[in-house]
């Protein structure tokens, strides 16, 4: 899996676990912030190093990162997610 951007049209997706999708990169998660029902996203074991696009989410409660190479700049804005309860 290299991209899940097409899922941005989903109106019912609540959990998305992309653990160990080693080909998934930053561009591949763009659009997930538009899923108004997405509450849990796991990106462990991916090549995502910047998930700042997710800062526009208004529904994420749990965000699992644990990604190698995640930079400080890569998490900028996540504090603006009003529903975020767990950042791992």
């Amino acid at each position: 899996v290299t991209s899940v951007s097409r899922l941005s049209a989903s109106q019912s997706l609540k959990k998305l676990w992309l653990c160990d999708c080693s080909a998934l990169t930053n561009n591949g998660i763009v659009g997930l912030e538009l899923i108004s029902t997405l509450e849990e996203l796991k990106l462990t074991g991916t090549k995502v190093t910047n998930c700042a696009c997710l800062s526009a989410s208004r529904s994420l409660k749990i965000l699992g990162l644990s990604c190698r190479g995640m930079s400080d700049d890569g998490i900028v804005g996540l504090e603006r997610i009003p529903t975020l309860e767990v950042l791992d």
Side-chain angles (χ1 to χ4, degrees):
V1 174
T2 58
S3 177
V4 291
S5 295
R6 288 182 173 217
L7 294 175
S8 65
S10 175
Q11 296 178 354
S12 60
L13 186 64
K14 288 188 175 190
K15 293 182 180 182
L16 182 58
W17 290 12
L18 298 165
C19 302
D20 298 319
C21 290
S22 58
L24 187 66
T25 62
N26 300 340
N27 291 338
I29 64 167
V30 173
L32 293 182
E33 71 280 5
L34 302 175
I35 304 174
S36 63
T37 54
L38 188 61
E39 296 178 352
E40 185 172 343
L41 177 61
K42 302 267 185 162
L43 298 171
T44 305
T46 66
K47 290 184 180 173
V48 174
T49 59
N50 188 321
C51 60
C53 66
L54 298 175
S55 66
S57 172
R58 294 296 167 247
S59 59
L60 267 181
K61 292 182 180 180
I62 300 170
L63 179 57
L65 297 177
S66 300
C67 304
R68 288 186 177 179
M70 182 65 67
S71 65
D72 290 344
D73 290 339
I75 60 171
V76 168
L78 295 183
E79 73 279 0
R80 292 192 302 258
I81 303 174
T83 53
L84 192 62
E85 298 171 1
V86 177
L87 178 60
D88 180 22

